[in-house]
């Protein structure tokens, strides 16, 4: 069976219900305890008043006898009242149950005291409360007798039970009302949030430029709107990046793919000599290698973007390793001169290598005699300079230098997709640094700033 989906409205209503139930339970318990105590006090007041009224009709004489002066119509006073002289009973209520009689006999001769008996006034089930009031002797010292009064607790308990049932019913109705009203109020309060979420979903899918803005909104919704606007801005930036990347990929793959198609058709139309076939095969292989390089560069940038792991590397050890690899891959290339003080760069060696490799490859292609890799450092930044003594970057091309797929001279005979510098700058910025063209120095000179380790 499928479980119902949990909602914020339901959780808030449930929390309100639980909180209300706790408070209602506490208030109901306090009310009923207070009522029960008050009813007991009223029963005690009735007993004390009745016993004192009967005691006024009892006269203790000097000879130790008790004389009861019977007033007219004393049935109300005699109901549930015993009069004892010492421990000898002098008057008793007619038809008193045996259990009450035994308890009244036990109270004879005792000082003021209350006690309960689990029997009704008629001898059936119920509860009766008794009160013993001592009658002082005529001499003023000692106790001549005792007046024991009784009252049934059944009416008081009935009142307490009725109050308890009423308070429980009222509590249930109150909690049900609180739960329903809370759901309605929360639903109405969250309606603007749901509308904003729906709008954000539609805008993000369509790439719309609309934003919520925080003006004129409550504080909570203003913060929510600000967060959604920031999320929409990030989504828009991601969409623009993906569109730009797809356009660059399509543009860069079109040329080598067209070359492969043309060479394949040229080979299929008529027989070719072995030399011509080798030339076509070489062209196809180089075009395929170019396509693979373009895909590798773009995929590497996509995998690395936003997922840089913490780490560090040492200069000049990294620079010397890159120079050694460059010399091994290109034996006739100009040598790389590594200078600068030993410092720790606050990015992993793999990331630093991906940033520096395109710069060293470009320097190797265009350098006349020398490629330099120099490092300077301050308190929290490290700057790596990669330069060459070649012709430098044309003035008219400097504005598009870091655009993906752009090359200063596509017909210069060098392989490349025009993505290396763009990827290097993205990686440097993702690591908390930057890559720019330095103005000073002959040839091309690039400055890579990275955090210090």
């Amino acid at each position: 069976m499928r479980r119902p989906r949990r909602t914020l409205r339901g959780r808030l209503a449930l929390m309100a219900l639980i909180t209300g139930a706790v408070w209602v339970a506490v208030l109901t318990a306090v009310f009923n305890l207070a009522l029960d105590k008050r009813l007991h006090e009223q029963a005690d007041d009735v007993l004390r008043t009745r016993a004192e009224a009967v005691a006024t009709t009892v006269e203790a004489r000097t000879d130790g006898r008790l004389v009861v002066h019977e007033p007219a119509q004393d049935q109300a006073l005699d109901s549930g009242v015993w009069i004892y002289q010492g421990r000898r009973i002098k008057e008793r209520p007619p038809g008193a149950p045996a259990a009450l009689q035994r308890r009244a006999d036990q109270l004879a001769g005792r000082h003021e005291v209350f006690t309960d008996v689990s029997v009704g006034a008629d001898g059936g089930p119920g509860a009766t409360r008794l009160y013993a009031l001592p009658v002082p002797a005529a001499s003023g010292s000692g106790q001549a007798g005792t007046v024991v009064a009784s009252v049934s607790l059944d009416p008081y308990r009935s009142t307490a039970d009725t109050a308890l049932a009423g308070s429980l019913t009222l509590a249930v109705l109150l909690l049900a009302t609180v739960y329903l009203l809370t759901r309605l109020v929360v639903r109405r309060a969250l309606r603007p949030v749901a509308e904003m979420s729906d709008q954000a979903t539609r805008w993000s899918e369509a790439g719309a430029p609309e934003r919520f803005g925080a003006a004129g909104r409550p504080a909570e919704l203003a913060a929510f709107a600000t967060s959604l606007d920031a999320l929409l801005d990030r989504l828009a930036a991601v969409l623009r990046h993906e569109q730009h990347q797809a356009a660059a990929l399509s543009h860069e793959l079109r040329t080598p793919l067209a070359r492969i198609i043309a060479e394949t058709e040229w080979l299929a139309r008529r027989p070719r000599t072995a030399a011509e076939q080798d030339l076509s095969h070489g062209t196809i292989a180089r075009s395929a290698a170019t396509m693979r390089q373009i895909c590798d560069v773009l995929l590497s940038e996509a995998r690395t973007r936003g997922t840089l792991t913490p780490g560090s590397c040492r200069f000049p050890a990294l620079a010397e390793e890159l120079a050694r690899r460059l010399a091994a891959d290109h034996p006739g290339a100009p040598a790389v001169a590594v200078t600068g003080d030993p410092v720790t760069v606050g990015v992993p060696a793999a990331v630093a290598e991906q940033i520096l490799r395109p710069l060293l490859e470009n320097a190797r292609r265009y350098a006349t005699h020398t490629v330099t890799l120099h490092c300077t450092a301050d308190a929290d930044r490290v700057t790596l300079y990669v330069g060459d003594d070649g012709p430098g970057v044309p003035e008219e091309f400097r504005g598009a230098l870091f655009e993906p797929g752009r090359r200063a001279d596509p017909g210069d005979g060098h392989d490349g997709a025009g993505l290396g510098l763009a990827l290097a700058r993205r990686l440097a910025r993702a690591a908390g640094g930057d890559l720019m063209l330095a103005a000073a120095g002959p040839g091309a000179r690039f400055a890579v700033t990275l955090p210090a380790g």
Side-chain angles (χ1 to χ4, degrees):
M1 184 175 65
R2 186 175 181 181
R3 296 179 61 184
R5 188 175 62 176
R6 299 175 62 184
T7 62
L8 180 59
R9 181 182 62 179
R11 294 180 64 182
L12 291 175
L14 182 60
M15 290 298 298
L17 179 63
I18 293 174
T19 304
V22 172
W23 277 107
V24 168
V26 172
L27 293 177
T28 302
V30 171
F31 168 75
N32 284 275
L33 289 174
L35 178 62
D36 186 69
K37 181 180 178 182
R38 180 57 184 161
L39 291 176
H40 273 78
E41 291 175 351
Q42 289 180 354
D44 293 345
D45 291 341
V46 170
L47 284 172
R48 189 177 288 107
T49 301
R50 179 179 294 181
E52 290 174 351
V54 172
T56 60
T57 66
V58 177
E59 178 185 358
R61 296 188 174 179
T62 56
D63 57 1
R65 292 184 301 112
L66 291 181
V67 177
V68 179
H69 301 282
E70 300 288 347
Q73 298 180 354
D74 63 343
Q75 293 84 2
L77 292 176
D78 292 340
S79 177
V81 175
W82 290 263
I83 301 175
Y84 290 88
Q85 181 176 338
R87 299 189 63 85
R88 182 172 59 85
I89 189 168
K90 193 168 184 66
E91 285 191 9
R92 73 176 66 186
L100 288 180
Q101 184 63 54
R102 288 193 298 270
R103 182 58 60 87
D105 293 342
Q106 294 173 0
L107 295 177
R110 299 180 61 179
H111 296 289
E112 184 177 9
V113 65
F114 290 94
T115 185
D116 293 334
V117 181
S118 297
V119 64
D122 57 355
T128 303
R129 190 167 179 80
L130 291 87
Y131 169 65
L133 176 67
V135 177
S139 62
S141 61
Q143 180 176 339
T146 308
V147 176
V148 178
S150 67
V151 66
S152 175
L153 295 179
D154 293 340
Y156 299 96
R157 290 190 173 181
S158 177
T159 301
D161 293 340
T162 302
L164 178 60
S167 60
L168 290 177
T169 303
L170 180 62
V172 171
L173 294 176
L174 178 63
L175 291 177
T177 304
V178 168
Y179 181 74
L180 294 177
L181 289 178
T182 302
R183 287 184 65 90
L184 292 176
V185 170
V186 172
R187 180 178 182 180
R188 185 176 184 85
L190 292 179
R191 188 178 301 165
V193 179
E195 294 175 354
M196 292 171 63
S197 299
D198 293 339
Q199 289 177 337
T201 302
R202 292 194 302 268
W203 293 347
S204 63
E205 291 176 351
E210 290 88 350
R211 296 295 182 267
F212 296 103
R217 300 184 184 275
E220 295 82 358
L221 290 184
F224 184 56
T226 302
S227 300
L228 285 178
D229 288 344
L231 178 61
L232 290 173
D233 290 339
R234 289 194 295 269
L235 289 176
V238 170
L239 287 175
R240 288 194 301 269
H241 176 80
E242 297 300 333
Q243 293 170 355
H244 194 197
Q245 189 179 51
L249 181 63
S250 174
H251 178 268
E252 292 301 322
L253 290 179
R254 186 180 295 113
T255 299
L257 182 60
R259 190 176 303 167
I260 291 174
I261 294 174
E263 292 294 337
T264 304
E265 291 178 351
W266 186 75
L267 286 174
R269 285 181 181 177
R270 59 186 179 86
R272 302 293 176 183
T273 63
E276 291 174 338
Q277 289 183 359
D278 291 342
L279 181 60
S280 294
H281 291 162
T283 302
I284 293 173
R286 287 191 298 273
S287 299
T290 301
M291 293 178 65
R292 183 176 64 179
Q293 179 189 10
I294 294 170
C295 292
D296 289 344
V297 170
L298 291 176
L299 291 176
S300 175
E301 190 274 335
R303 284 193 301 266
T304 307
R305 183 182 356 115
T307 60
L308 292 175
T309 57
S312 61
C313 57
R314 292 287 296 173
F315 183 92
L318 175 66
E320 292 171 351
E321 176 62 21
L322 291 176
R324 186 190 62 79
R325 294 182 189 176
L326 188 65
D329 295 338
H330 306 280
V336 178
V338 179
T339 59
D341 298 330
V343 295
T344 300
V345 184
V347 297
V351 175
E353 180 178 342
Q354 285 185 308
I355 297 173
L356 293 175
R357 187 188 299 122
L359 301 177
L360 290 173
E361 287 288 340
N362 286 345
R364 188 263 314 169
R365 290 171 183 167
Y366 298 105
T368 304
H369 300 97
T370 305
V371 174
T372 60
L373 207 167
H374 179 70
C375 176
T376 61
D378 53 26
D380 58 349
R381 310 295 292 176
V382 174
T383 304
L384 303 174
Y385 295 96
V386 179
D388 62 75
D389 58 353
V393 179
E395 185 68 29
E396 65 276 7
F397 184 68
R398 293 188 177 185
L401 181 61
F402 295 101
E403 294 182 7
R406 297 294 299 274
R407 296 177 58 185
D409 184 7
D412 59 3
H414 293 300
D415 295 332
L419 299 174
L421 292 180
L423 173 60
R425 169 174 271 190
R426 290 176 184 174
L427 291 177
R429 290 180 173 177
D434 203 354
L435 168 61
M436 61 190 70
L437 179 66
R445 191 166 186 257
F446 292 89
V448 181
T449 58
L450 295 172

